[in-house]
Amino acid sequence: MVQLLPDDRLFVLTGAGVSAESGLATFRGSGGLWNGHRLDQVATPEAWAADPLLVWRFYSMRRRDAAAAAPNAGHLALVRLEEQMGSRFYLCTQNVDDLHERAGSHRVHHMHGSLFQSRCVRCEEPFYDDGGYELVDDLPLCAICGAAVRPHIVWFGEVPLDMERIYAELDRATVLLVAGTSGSVYPAAGFVQVAHQRGIRTIYAGPEEPLNADVFDEVLLGTATEILPTIDVRGA
Ligand code: APR
């Protein structure tokens, strides 16, 4: 049982592990393959330039998988914490699925983009899109300028979204809770060092130690659905 103090300000960082019990595969847990694809074939700007159809097939499959999945008790536990803490709660996720929102979370920032958004490579404006693009003739084009439309996903080699806001939130948090992420992808893996330097409480939740485990004050071993529901705000 983990207790937060009534005036704590909580920054939560989630990764693929939080959606694992909803049936969505983590990347590193599946032998370095995402449903049979190597990262550099589907999740880099170079992959997009080389084979947009393959990239769209991959993200179309992930859209299907995510749409068929349901939020789990880990997602719901974070909704409860947000209800208890209000604006003192901030959720930053590396996940591109929408399970946090479908569970009922409101203050969610998708630092690696969103599976159900696309954007024109020229206009750059993201828009809702749950389409499946599996054939050359299906590949979407911008309705305004006719340029190619890509998934609104931050690929390897690209800068995560709104880092300024993230660091501002990290700067005023009193507790950092990290759940279900391997600690191998930066800048997210570096948030704990930032928190540690500020001297705030840092907690990790997941079934195995992340790569940066030594920087955390508390490492709680167990799955998201086991650990997250045990976190409470004192007196709430
Ligand atoms: N509950 C909590 N954590 C879990 C569970 C579970 N049921 N099952 C697995 N995990 C943990 C694993 O122990 C591992 O530490 O989830 C983590 C998954 O690690 P990764 O697959 O590396 O996912 P993540 O850290 O989110 O990846 C970061 O890299 O794959 C790219 O851009 C993608 O946002 C992603 C980023």
Side-chain angles (χ1 to χ4, degrees):
M1 169 95 169
V2 174
Q3 281 222 317
L4 305 177
L5 302 175
D7 55 357
D8 267 331
R9 185 174 275 280
L10 180 65
F11 184 116
V12 184
L13 171 69
T14 60
V18 167
S19 295
E21 288 162 282
S22 295
L24 300 181
T26 63
F27 168 63
R28 283 155 198 91
S30 43
L33 291 180
W34 251 337
N35 300 333
H37 295 286
R38 285 201 336 256
L39 259 184
D40 58 352
Q41 289 177 324
V42 289
T44 62
E46 293 74 22
W48 170 252
D51 195 345
L53 179 60
L54 178 66
V55 171
W56 262 125
R57 280 187 178 152
F58 174 69
Y59 284 100
S60 301
M61 174 187 66
R62 291 190 66 193
R63 280 180 178 178
R64 265 200 313 275
D65 291 347
N72 63 50
H75 297 104
L76 293 171
L78 295 175
V79 175
R80 183 178 46 80
L81 285 176
E82 182 176 357
E83 283 166 1
Q84 292 173 341
M85 303 182 83
S87 61
R88 287 178 291 104
F89 175 98
Y90 180 74
L91 173 52
C92 175
T93 185
Q94 297 168 89
N95 298 345
V96 294
D97 66 57
D98 59 352
L99 295 181
H100 284 305
E101 286 90 339
R102 282 204 272 136
S105 288
H106 296 291
R107 294 171 182 81
V108 189
H109 173 59
H110 285 269
M111 67 180 290
H112 289 167
S114 299
L115 209 42
F116 295 102
Q117 286 190 311
S118 301
R119 70 173 192 264
C120 165
V121 298
R122 200 177 295 151
C123 313
E124 291 276 311
E125 200 52 44
F127 58 91
Y128 180 81
D129 185 10
D130 60 2
Y133 308 112
E134 316 253 357
L135 301 169
V136 178
D137 292 343
D138 284 346
L139 288 186
L141 298 175
C142 177
I144 297 164
C145 73
V149 165
R150 60 166 274 182
H152 185 49
I153 299 284
V154 177
W155 288 324
F156 285 89
E158 298 183 322
V159 181
L161 306 173
D162 210 353
M163 289 305 295
E164 216 170 294
R165 168 88 198 274
I166 292 175
Y167 284 120
E169 292 290 345
L170 203 48
D171 205 38
R172 58 186 193 155
T174 60
V175 180
L176 170 69
L177 167 65
V178 177
T181 174
S182 53
S184 54
V185 174
Y186 284 81
F191 292 173
V192 64
Q193 270 95 356
V194 175
H196 183 68
Q197 273 158 15
R198 288 195 48 237
I200 70 170
R201 183 178 179 192
T202 54
I203 305 167
Y204 180 78
E208 59 200 353
E209 291 201 342
L211 293 180
N212 50 8
D214 55 326
V215 198
F216 285 92
D217 299 322
E218 297 155 67
V219 173
L220 310 172
L221 292 182
T223 70
T225 66
E226 289 166 352
I227 304 287
L228 297 181
T230 70
I231 301 177
D232 241 325
V233 181
R234 199 172 72 198

